[in-house]
Amino acid sequence: MTHDVGYLDRTRANAPRVPVTKFTPLPVSAGTDYETAAASQTDQVLGATGAAGDYLAGVLIVPGTTSPGAVSIKDGNGSDITIFAGGAGSIATLHPFFVPIGARCTAATTPGWKITTGANVTAIGVGSFT
């Protein structure tokens, strides 16, 4: 399976899309910071403080059971964006999987990317965070 990560950064608006497969990870240019989120966290800020312009390359989702909870992200104080719905029997194995995002935080009020995890699932946000 291949996922394409596009750059939403205005300075790289015409940058080529980067194919991401299980054999080809995200390039270092996608960000070198990471932030872990334990199970059952709500609106955990990615980075020390979070800021407008922070880049979220993607989220590695690590299920603890075959019925893990949901994972969502939020751009500042915006609405939750569900990136994994979870639920009973939602996965067949406990293999971690990567959800590419490729976006910058645009929120000016309480800026920074935030992540929420349900029960029995942890996550690792990868990107460039403040």
Side-chain angles (χ1 to χ4, degrees):
M1 174 183 282
T2 299
H3 300 282
D4 285 338
V5 177
Y7 294 96
L8 300 181
D9 175 2
R10 285 188 190 103
T11 62
R12 298 188 67 182
N14 295 319
R17 297 180 71 78
V18 179
V20 177
T21 70
K22 65 181 180 180
F23 302 110
T24 310
L26 286 171
V28 173
S29 63
T32 56
D33 297 338
Y34 71 91
E35 178 88 22
T36 60
S40 302
Q41 297 298 303
T42 302
D43 287 349
Q44 178 176 327
V45 175
L46 298 180
T49 58
D54 282 2
Y55 180 74
L56 180 58
V59 178
L60 180 68
I61 296 175
V62 185
T65 69
T66 55
S67 298
V71 177
S72 63
I73 57 173
K74 187 185 288 189
D75 181 350
N77 61 339
S79 299
D80 283 330
I81 303 165
T82 301
I83 59 172
F84 174 62
S90 59
I91 56 172
T93 69
L94 299 183
H95 296 171
F97 57 95
F98 189 77
V99 178
I101 305 297
R104 292 206 179 271
C105 176
T106 60
T109 307
T110 65
W113 286 105
K114 296 177 179 124
I115 191 163
T116 296
T117 55
N120 300 314
V121 64
T122 60
I124 302 170
V126 179
S128 182
F129 311 122
T130 305

